[in-house]
Amino acid sequence: MPPKPSHVFLGAGLSVASLGLMVLLVWALSTRIQGADHERYARATQRLEAIDARLNEEVAKCRLGIIAHYDGLVRVGDEIRIANAELDNIPAFINAEEQLLMTERIEAYRESLDDELASVEQFKSEYAVLRNSLRALPHNAERVLSRLTHVDDGPVRETIESVLRDTLLVVAGASSAERGEEVRCNLARLGLGVAQPSPCTTAPLNLEHLDSELVRDIGSVAGHVGIVLTRNDATTGLIDHIMLEPVSSRAQAVRDAYADIHEKAAERAQLRWLFILCA
């Protein structure tokens, strides 16, 4: 006996309902939050600020002479590369609109990070020259001062002593920019081709009575001082740029954006399962 029409419609309805429920289950499972993926990505976003703080710390330690190598900067650079690679693996539960937001935040972070890392590389180069010149300067200056004692030239000796003392104070950060100009004025007084800054009013010193080898050594000291002042200005400017680069704030924006996205995704997941249970 053929089935009654009501039975046919009931069976078809149950089939459609079962199919719909299966579709909902597949959809819910495909967009569910994978705990391991979330934890991995959350850790990556949370590490960004800490890594940037460590980078700034390593730069500061180099500049202060606390360490004489760049090993710490290399290690932090490796951590940055690892964290950057992890940022590319955005979890699957994030929808297209949220992925676009995360991509924008990450690109802004990387833009400032690339600028900061370029400044760090330039700092390493400038500071290496500054450090080498600082090592040579006291030795060369003391050798010249010793020879000047024997020729009894007080003004030249006093000028070089002042140049050495003030240069070291400028580099140590214990002096003002005006003292740096005073050093340049004293270099110009030695008459060794150093351009005299406009505020200088003292007359040049006479070196004609000194032998040519001593004058050459004085010129070497003046050259080292010029390099030290130039490189010190460069490294100071680079450090200011590194510290003021908005890497930390943009790293925080990446972290906060992901935390907000995860919270909303968790709410959506709860609603989906509730809908399935009700169905």
Side-chain angles (χ1 to χ4, degrees):
M1 184 175 66
K4 295 181 180 180
S6 59
H7 292 171
V8 173
F9 289 133
L10 179 60
L14 289 174
S15 298
V16 171
S18 299
L19 180 61
L21 185 59
M22 288 183 63
V23 170
L24 287 174
L25 284 170
V26 171
W27 172 58
L29 290 173
S30 64
T31 57
R32 74 187 187 281
I33 298 176
Q34 296 280 1
D37 286 348
H38 162 62
E39 292 296 332
R40 171 191 57 78
Y41 204 77
R43 282 195 302 269
T45 62
Q46 292 162 6
R47 288 174 55 202
L48 302 180
E49 288 179 86
I51 294 174
D52 183 59
R54 284 192 55 207
L55 180 66
N56 292 340
E57 179 185 353
E58 290 297 329
V59 169
K61 287 195 292 187
C62 288
R63 181 60 183 86
L64 294 172
I66 297 175
I67 54 176
H69 52 76
Y70 298 144
D71 294 352
L73 286 173
V74 173
R75 285 193 296 270
V76 175
D78 291 339
E79 289 186 37
I80 289 173
R81 281 188 288 275
I82 293 172
N84 256 319
E86 291 175 343
L87 290 179
D88 290 329
N89 299 320
I90 298 177
F93 69 83
I94 298 179
N95 62 37
E97 182 180 352
E98 293 167 341
Q99 284 191 19
L100 180 60
L101 174 62
M102 283 301 301
T103 299
E104 290 175 352
R105 294 289 189 272
I106 291 170
E107 287 178 353
Y109 161 73
R110 284 175 172 168
E111 180 183 357
S112 58
L113 177 64
D114 288 344
D115 192 22
E116 182 180 53
L117 292 177
S119 295
V120 169
E121 289 303 312
Q122 191 176 354
F123 163 79
K124 287 162 63 177
S125 176
E126 293 284 352
Y127 185 62
V129 177
L130 172 61
R131 186 174 56 195
N132 290 336
S133 295
L134 280 172
R135 288 173 179 169
L137 177 59
H139 171 73
N140 292 343
E142 288 301 326
R143 185 174 61 186
V144 168
L145 290 171
S146 177
R147 293 185 61 189
L148 284 171
T149 301
H150 297 300
V151 298
D152 195 26
D153 194 319
V156 175
R157 177 182 173 85
E158 290 170 1
T159 300
I160 294 176
E161 286 176 338
S162 176
V163 165
L164 178 61
R165 179 185 63 252
D166 291 344
T167 298
L168 295 178
L169 285 173
V170 168
V171 174
S175 187
S176 63
E178 288 76 12
R179 191 177 291 271
E181 289 302 311
E182 187 175 331
V183 172
R184 291 183 171 90
C185 286
N186 280 328
L187 288 178
R189 287 190 69 204
L190 294 172
L192 296 171
V194 178
Q196 190 174 45
S198 55
C200 299
T201 57
T202 53
L205 295 170
N206 182 11
L207 304 183
E208 292 181 356
H209 62 290
L210 302 177
D211 65 73
S212 59
E213 183 181 354
L214 180 53
V215 172
R216 186 171 61 250
D217 288 344
I218 293 174
S220 176
V221 171
H224 274 109
V225 170
I227 292 173
V228 166
L229 293 178
T230 300
R231 302 296 181 174
N232 183 67
D233 288 345
T235 55
T236 300
L238 286 166
I239 289 174
D240 289 343
H241 184 75
I242 291 168
M243 300 300 175
L244 293 175
E245 192 68 37
V247 177
S248 180
S249 61
R250 293 183 178 182
Q252 183 178 352
V254 172
R255 183 199 66 193
D256 292 347
Y258 178 72
D260 184 58
I261 288 170
H262 174 259
E263 182 179 353
K264 291 178 180 177
E267 293 174 354
R268 290 197 301 268
Q270 289 179 346
L271 289 175
R272 281 194 296 269
W273 286 111
L274 182 61
F275 179 76
I276 292 171
L277 289 174
C278 292

